[in-house]
Amino acid sequence: MSAPLNSRVIVPPARIGFIGLGRMGHPMARNLARAGYGLVAHDVDRDALDRARDATGAEAPESLKATAERCEAVITMLPDGDAVRAVVLGPGDCLLAGFPRGSVLIDMSSSSPLGTRGLGARLAERGVAMLDSPVSGGVRKAADATLSIMVGGDAQIIARCRPILEAMGRQIFITGPLGSGHAMKALNNYVSAAGLVAATEGVLAAQRFGLDPGNVVDILNASTGMNNSTLNKFHRFILSRAFDSGFSLDLMVKDLNTALEVARSTGSPARLAEACLEAWTEAQAALGPGLDHTAVVRYWEKLAGTELGKKRD
Ligand code: NAD
């Protein structure tokens, strides 16, 4: 029998629904199964669902309604907040039709915080709690259960769900009320996207001035210009031309839009964020959909007429 959400005895949910078993959701669900949680899985992509069932032994009922009925907590790991709302509210088959009172939705997707607040209010009317709990660290840290996890919402619900989050991440940061985790995540990705562009422009200009790009990245990494992209992305995904970090350019553009939404809704200056969004959106249009976000450097290469790492003819 599940503990009521306002119970003083904190008992983590035993069976967890997991919706969205893509690049991130699959390894996160696998870690929950390893930690001993029973899983109920759902994905619109049949192959992704079958792979997750094989890896986790998850049940996979035919409907979202049945998924919600069987679980005390449901995690969503979907592309964006619109997809989360569709899964939770419908139209048609949806989690809300099956959620027992006292259950909790944990949205681990990178969703818009304003939409999250609205969704939380709709769920609260039906006695369902919500946490926003996005993650950072990418596919590798999802696989190792070392994600950094931000979580917003009611403190008692967070305490109850904490063991679930700890099965997937190493550092759990409580950010404040519902929506604060999603705001933090979008702003983190803005800072990350700006850092990637700053490094791309610096390395390209250095190469065109005659320096070796690999050497430039090594020097940045030993100097004050170092950032996450110079440390973890340039050699591995960019200069190698592998462009396979596992995080898509389309999702980064979505996150930049969300970060701007947060800045605008709070009347905060965002001159660099505006320029960053514009440049990434242009790159997305020029390069086409479905690319890894590290491939964004190809747009700067096109503008420069220079390929990173390639000698000029
Ligand atoms: P993905 O595209 O690989 O996976 C999304 C999954 O959701 C897919 O399997 C898709 O079939 C499923 N899906 C989409 N709409 C659905 C619906 N209506 N019902 C059921 N299933 C549906 O994306 P991802 O890279 O795993 O990212 C998921 C979320 O995590 C995004 O919000 C992203 O911004 C965030 N994120 C990604 C990374 C990364 O490195 N990939 C890192 C941190 C955060």
Side-chain angles (χ1 to χ4, degrees):
M1 176 138 163
S2 64
L5 286 172
N6 60 1
S7 164
R8 284 181 176 278
V9 182
I10 292 175
V11 181
R15 193 154 49 168
I16 301 170
F18 207 112
I19 321 285
L21 298 143
R23 291 186 190 91
M24 294 294 285
H26 180 102
M28 290 163 68
R30 208 176 45 214
N31 287 326
L32 287 173
R34 279 185 188 143
Y37 291 101
L39 292 183
V40 184
H42 176 85
D43 196 297
V44 282
D45 177 342
R46 193 74 221 182
D47 291 341
L49 182 60
D50 287 345
R51 279 195 300 277
R53 288 175 72 178
D54 290 348
T56 65
E59 300 171 43
E62 280 311 306
S63 69
L64 288 163
K65 176 173 180 283
T67 302
E69 281 167 350
R70 289 178 200 193
C71 303
E72 296 164 54
V74 174
I75 292 173
T76 40
M77 194 53 178
L78 295 166
D80 56 29
D82 288 343
V84 174
R85 263 186 302 284
V87 159
V88 176
L89 303 175
D93 176 41
C94 65
L95 293 171
L96 193 60
F99 268 139
R101 288 186 80 78
S103 42
V104 54
L105 172 75
I106 309 175
D107 182 18
M108 302 193 77
S109 330
S110 304
S111 304
S112 150
L114 304 182
T116 297
R117 285 188 192 156
L119 180 58
R122 291 280 302 274
L123 288 168
E125 287 166 9
R126 301 282 288 270
V128 177
M130 179 173 180
L131 300 178
D132 56 323
S133 189
V135 306
S136 186
V139 173
R140 188 170 53 84
K141 291 194 173 184
D144 295 349
T146 56
L147 289 166
S148 119
I149 301 184
M150 300 142 243
V151 53
D154 177 89
Q156 203 171 7
I157 309 291
I158 294 175
R160 185 172 172 225
C161 294
R162 196 176 178 103
I164 298 175
L165 304 179
E166 284 173 346
M168 295 178 278
R170 179 175 287 162
Q171 286 183 288
I172 317 293
F173 295 97
I174 297 176
T175 49
L178 185 67
S180 60
H182 281 152
M184 180 64 237
K185 169 63 188 175
L187 294 168
N188 173 76
N189 277 23
Y190 152 59
V191 174
S192 171
L196 176 50
V197 168
T200 299
E201 292 183 352
V203 178
L204 254 180
Q207 177 176 324
R208 286 165 63 84
F209 199 75
L211 283 81
D212 173 74
N215 200 23
V216 172
V217 172
D218 292 341
I219 295 168
L220 288 170
N221 285 339
S223 310
T224 53
M226 167 260 285
N227 66 29
N228 180 58
S229 293
T230 64
L231 271 181
N232 296 316
K233 298 180 187 175
F234 260 81
H235 281 300
R236 192 156 168 214
F237 305 122
I238 294 171
L239 297 180
S240 69
R241 315 301 289 175
F243 301 122
D244 61 353
S245 77
F247 180 52
S248 78
L249 199 161
D250 302 321
L251 289 177
M252 184 62 108
V253 171
K254 175 248 331 184
D255 290 339
L256 283 168
N257 274 296
T258 307
L260 248 301
E261 190 181 288
V262 174
R264 287 174 187 147
S265 72
T266 53
S268 309
R271 292 166 62 175
L272 184 57
E274 298 272 5
C276 197
L277 172 63
E278 193 185 335
W280 277 78
T281 306
E282 274 173 24
Q284 182 189 35
L287 298 171
L291 291 180
D292 192 82
H293 81 287
T294 54
V296 78
V297 302
R298 289 189 191 150
Y299 179 62
W300 270 261
E301 291 176 335
K302 272 190 191 193
L303 295 178
T306 300
E307 189 175 298
L308 280 174
K310 199 169 176 188
K311 292 251 179 313
R312 272 199 268 184
D313 299 327

